[in-house]
Amino acid sequence: MPEQIQETKQEYVIKKENTKVITNDITTSFDEALNKYEHLRNYVNEISLKIGPPEWMTSLDFSLKSRTEFNILYPVGDPIFVHIYKLPSGEALYNVIEPELNDNEKKKLDQIQTKIVKYAIEDINFNNAEEVRRYIVDLFNKVIDFQRRKLFSDKVYIKNQEEYDKLLYFLIRERFGYGFLEPFLRDPYLEDIHILGLGPIYTVHKIFGMLKTNREFKNEEDLNKYIIKYSQIVDRPASETRPLVDAILPDGSRVNFVYGKDISLHGSSFTIRKFSAKPLSVTQLISFGTISPEEAAYLWLAIENGMNIVISGETASGKTTLLNALTTFIKPDAKVYSVEDTPELNIPHNIWQRLITREVGKAADVSMYDLLRAALRSRPNYILIGEIRGKEGSVAFQAMQTGHPVMTTFHSGNITSLIERLTGEPINIPIAFIDNLNIAVFTTSVAIKGKYERRITNIYEIEKYIAELKKVAVRDVFTWNSVQDKHMFVGKYNSYMLERKIAPLMKIDDKRKVYQILDYRAKILKKMVENEIFDFFEVWEILKNFYINGPSALPFSV
């Protein structure tokens, strides 16, 4: 559907959901940024007197995770900057640095918005977001003037270039961005944004963890208005009759709105889980200590040979992040289907069919169950399921039984709970079918040296169902030593999957040889980490070339 501007209750809106009008021009020179933006200059002068001058960075490296003290300033798209620092008390803070409108400028912005509606054309088509932006700038220029040419001019008087830039920024921010929360949505280093009601907003930073911000909703009216506006924009309006809403924002981020005090004692709240255009790579996860090279190599062999894998853990334990990272181990010529409630996976394969559920009304709903059934008819080489929650689990196990490898995530904390939940309501997998699942990976979020980190705690092999005992035989092949923060390969030379399943598929007679192959794959991954090859798509290219041309295609010696 083309973008359209139309007048509705004195507001103009862009109809295409994924249109992004705000551009992220970034000033990378600190001196230039200080000269260009008075609000940044004032902030730096003030904060430097309190805690010292901040360190300017145009990009953040994950090696910063090891810092116990930090005072960092970085740009996220002009004219917004972010300052992250830790106080002597140990509290880590996240400060948004953004222009502010005075009362006179707020009045001018209201006048500009009212006047622009007169010029907006309802059925105008645009090819891309940049065309929309240029059109809005043209409308803006029509209603403002730098000179008072007439005593009773219909135009809004702008006193200088700084005021011009500020008013144009706020016009686009409020109408085509995310308003008050625009700085957070622009920051590529944020994972989650937590609005817990009135009071400070909290963010989860990819490098520095949970941070208290200098932004807050100060009254319930503003908070409720924000939820109503942005839930309507994504066609999932929140209200007193519909207080719980899950939706996807135009940039792909996932949001959960809780509206009103009927179900929340502290009033309205919501959480945004940021969409990442570039997923974390398996080598990054190795460098974080989330997964060991040996565990990654084990899963590489398992995925290459079509094993069925579930990644299980509590909320925010990194299940989907790990699932996405592991997709680079799927053979490059594979036909991959993904089935999700919300689009979080980003898969590098050329032959990738991305299926998303739809909830618009009972007759027109399309569920995970429906999508999985459709996927099976297309004979995929690998099926990825965002998360198994209900009856779609039975279809997933049917896929496993018919030779379609499946990788999925699940919400459970240990292997016993996993089996109990799969065999209980509402999933109801017969316990005798559980051994169609080959491998269960468990992840968790733990505090290590005062910071929350993600770790794979166990990898289990599911061997078989023992009818006499009515139990499932499982084997622990990897476990995490929390004291030493070390991943242990406890199943080495005793792995059921490697010796009984994977070795025959690779036509390996000597079972010991499969462990040599695993060690070699682990060395490849270690070498990539040593060479700081962390970019998701660069990792994919190396693994793809290895699949096609073998060891000679590696850009390093092993």
Side-chain angles (χ1 to χ4, degrees):
M1 179 187 292
E3 296 93 336
Q4 296 180 340
I5 292 183
Q6 65 175 182
E7 185 177 335
T8 305
K9 295 181 181 178
Q10 297 298 302
E11 293 187 358
Y12 47 92
V13 296
I14 297 298
K15 285 297 185 182
K16 186 176 179 182
E17 281 191 1
N18 291 325
T19 298
K20 187 176 181 181
V21 181
I22 293 182
T23 58
N24 279 6
D25 296 330
I26 296 179
T27 300
T28 56
S29 165
F30 185 41
D31 290 338
E32 183 182 346
L34 289 174
N35 290 329
K36 193 174 179 181
Y37 297 111
E38 182 183 11
H39 67 281
L40 175 65
R41 189 165 61 251
N42 292 339
Y43 177 87
V44 170
N45 288 337
E46 184 179 344
I47 202 71
S48 296
L49 293 174
K50 295 179 180 178
I51 63 171
E55 180 180 1
W56 173 262
M57 294 185 177
T58 54
S59 62
L60 305 186
D61 188 89
F62 282 95
S63 63
L64 295 170
K65 287 170 71 76
S66 61
R67 287 196 183 184
T68 56
E69 296 181 3
F70 47 87
N71 180 13
I72 296 169
L73 176 68
Y74 62 94
V76 295
D78 293 355
I80 306 171
F81 303 86
V82 169
H83 180 213
I84 295 179
Y85 61 100
K86 180 176 276 190
L87 295 171
S89 64
E91 184 179 27
L93 300 175
Y94 179 107
N95 282 357
V96 170
I97 309 166
E98 184 185 36
E100 292 185 6
L101 295 175
N102 58 39
D103 290 342
N104 187 45
E105 289 167 338
K106 289 177 183 177
K107 184 178 178 180
K108 287 183 180 182
L109 182 61
D110 289 339
Q111 292 172 345
I112 289 169
Q113 292 181 97
T114 301
K115 293 179 185 298
I116 276 181
V117 174
K118 298 178 182 178
Y119 292 95
I121 301 172
E122 286 194 16
D123 296 322
I124 188 169
N125 295 333
F126 300 100
N127 294 317
N128 54 55
E130 182 54 34
E131 288 187 10
V132 180
R133 178 182 169 81
R134 287 199 298 267
Y135 179 68
I136 297 306
V137 172
D138 288 342
L139 291 178
F140 180 80
N141 289 334
K142 283 182 179 180
V143 302
I144 64 97
D145 200 342
F146 281 99
Q147 298 178 6
R148 295 184 186 273
R149 295 180 181 175
K150 294 180 181 180
L151 185 60
F152 300 104
S153 172
D154 189 46
K155 295 191 175 184
V156 179
Y157 171 66
I158 304 295
K159 63 182 181 182
N160 54 34
Q161 185 66 41
E162 183 182 339
E163 187 174 70
Y164 174 94
D165 292 340
K166 189 189 295 187
L167 289 170
L168 180 58
Y169 164 70
F170 276 97
L171 170 70
I172 296 176
R173 189 197 85 163
E174 293 303 312
R175 295 304 178 185
F176 306 107
Y178 294 98
F180 184 63
L181 298 183
E182 177 68 26
F184 301 117
L185 272 299
R186 284 207 200 183
D187 190 342
Y189 301 106
L190 293 188
E191 287 186 357
D192 297 314
I193 305 158
H194 298 284
I195 296 86
L196 307 175
L198 302 185
I201 293 170
Y202 288 82
T203 63
V204 177
H205 199 276
K206 291 180 180 178
I207 297 172
F208 299 107
M210 183 71 76
L211 301 171
K212 179 183 176 182
T213 79
N214 63 339
R215 284 293 178 93
E216 63 179 87
F217 284 96
K218 295 182 179 180
N219 60 73
E220 292 182 2
E221 182 181 4
D222 288 344
L223 176 56
N224 288 338
K225 280 183 177 179
Y226 191 94
I227 290 176
I228 290 171
K229 177 181 178 179
Y230 286 93
S231 64
Q232 287 176 341
I233 285 175
V234 294
D235 294 327
R236 302 295 297 277
S239 65
E240 290 182 358
T241 57
R242 192 185 189 188
L244 294 176
V245 172
D246 289 313
I248 302 168
L249 296 176
D251 73 340
S253 298
R254 189 168 67 185
V255 61
N256 170 255
F257 292 114
V258 179
Y259 183 80
K261 287 190 172 180
D262 286 349
I263 62 171
S264 174
L265 294 178
H266 296 289
S268 299
S269 63
F270 58 102
T271 299
I272 299 173
R273 175 162 290 184
K274 287 280 301 296
F275 172 77
S276 178
K278 184 175 288 187
L280 291 177
S281 67
V282 69
T283 51
Q284 280 178 308
L285 297 182
I286 291 171
S287 71
F288 299 162
T290 301
I291 184 173
S292 71
E294 291 75 22
E295 286 173 324
Y298 171 86
L299 293 172
W300 182 356
L301 287 175
I303 291 166
E304 179 183 337
N305 290 281
M307 298 296 105
N308 300 305
I309 300 170
V310 62
I311 300 168
S312 190
E314 68 269 19
T315 301
S317 61
K319 300 187 294 295
T320 304
T321 298
L322 176 61
L323 174 61
N324 209 128
L326 294 178
T327 61
T328 51
F329 292 145
I330 300 175
K331 292 180 179 179
D333 59 350
K335 183 179 183 181
V336 183
Y337 270 66
S338 65
V339 177
E340 302 173 87
D341 280 326
T342 54
E344 294 183 274
L345 296 175
N346 190 353
I347 298 168
H349 294 68
N350 290 328
I351 311 174
W352 170 32
Q353 181 68 41
R354 193 177 199 182
L355 306 178
I356 307 296
T357 60
R358 183 178 69 186
E359 184 182 341
V360 292
K362 288 188 176 180
D365 284 355
V366 180
S367 67
M368 296 270 280
Y369 180 83
D370 300 324
L371 294 177
L372 270 172
R373 291 177 62 190
L376 285 177
R377 299 188 190 104
S378 300
R379 301 178 66 185
N381 298 114
Y382 237 110
I383 298 174
L384 308 178
I385 306 171
E387 184 176 356
I388 287 178
R389 296 190 187 95
K391 65 177 183 178
E392 70 274 358
S394 63
V395 182
F397 272 77
Q398 287 176 35
M400 296 177 194
Q401 286 178 298
T402 55
H404 296 88
V406 172
M407 276 201 290
T408 184
T409 69
F410 196 73
H411 195 95
S412 67
N414 55 63
I415 189 68
T416 302
S417 172
L418 172 69
I419 294 172
E420 287 176 349
R421 288 202 61 215
L422 286 173
T423 56
E425 291 286 349
I427 303 173
N428 292 320
I429 305 297
I431 193 168
F433 294 171
I434 291 295
D435 59 4
N436 286 292
L437 178 64
N438 303 122
I439 296 169
V441 182
F442 287 87
T443 65
T444 192
S445 178
V446 293
I448 298 176
K449 296 180 180 178
K451 293 184 179 180
Y452 278 96
E453 306 280 1
R454 288 162 176 167
R455 293 290 184 266
I456 289 180
T457 57
N458 295 91
I459 298 179
Y460 291 99
E461 297 175 339
I462 300 174
E463 295 184 24
K464 61 182 177 179
Y465 172 67
I466 304 173
E468 298 81 11
L469 301 176
K470 295 183 179 180
K471 290 185 177 181
V472 178
V474 299
R475 186 176 304 200
D476 196 353
V477 285
F478 286 94
T479 190
W480 176 63
N481 184 317
S482 60
V483 176
Q484 299 177 351
D485 187 19
K486 186 176 180 180
H487 301 272
M488 315 290 290
F489 191 178
V490 294
K492 193 166 188 177
Y493 305 122
N494 190 32
S495 165
Y496 177 83
M497 289 300 152
L498 289 173
E499 296 180 15
R500 303 284 186 89
K501 293 272 190 179
I502 294 173
L505 288 170
M506 298 181 74
K507 296 181 171 52
I508 297 172
D509 294 326
D510 183 356
K511 295 176 182 178
R512 294 282 171 139
K513 190 174 180 182
V514 73
Y515 294 100
Q516 295 173 9
I517 294 173
L518 185 149
D519 289 339
Y520 180 74
R521 300 281 180 95
K523 288 178 181 178
I524 293 174
L525 295 169
K526 287 178 184 176
K527 202 74 174 181
M528 292 169 75
V529 173
E530 289 171 7
N531 291 326
E532 297 184 353
I533 301 172
F534 295 134
D535 182 272
F536 178 83
F537 294 104
E538 188 177 354
V539 171
W540 160 245
E541 286 298 324
I542 291 173
L543 295 177
K544 181 173 68 173
N545 290 333
F546 177 80
Y547 266 124
I548 296 171
N549 299 309
S552 63
L554 294 173
F556 44 73
S557 59
V558 178

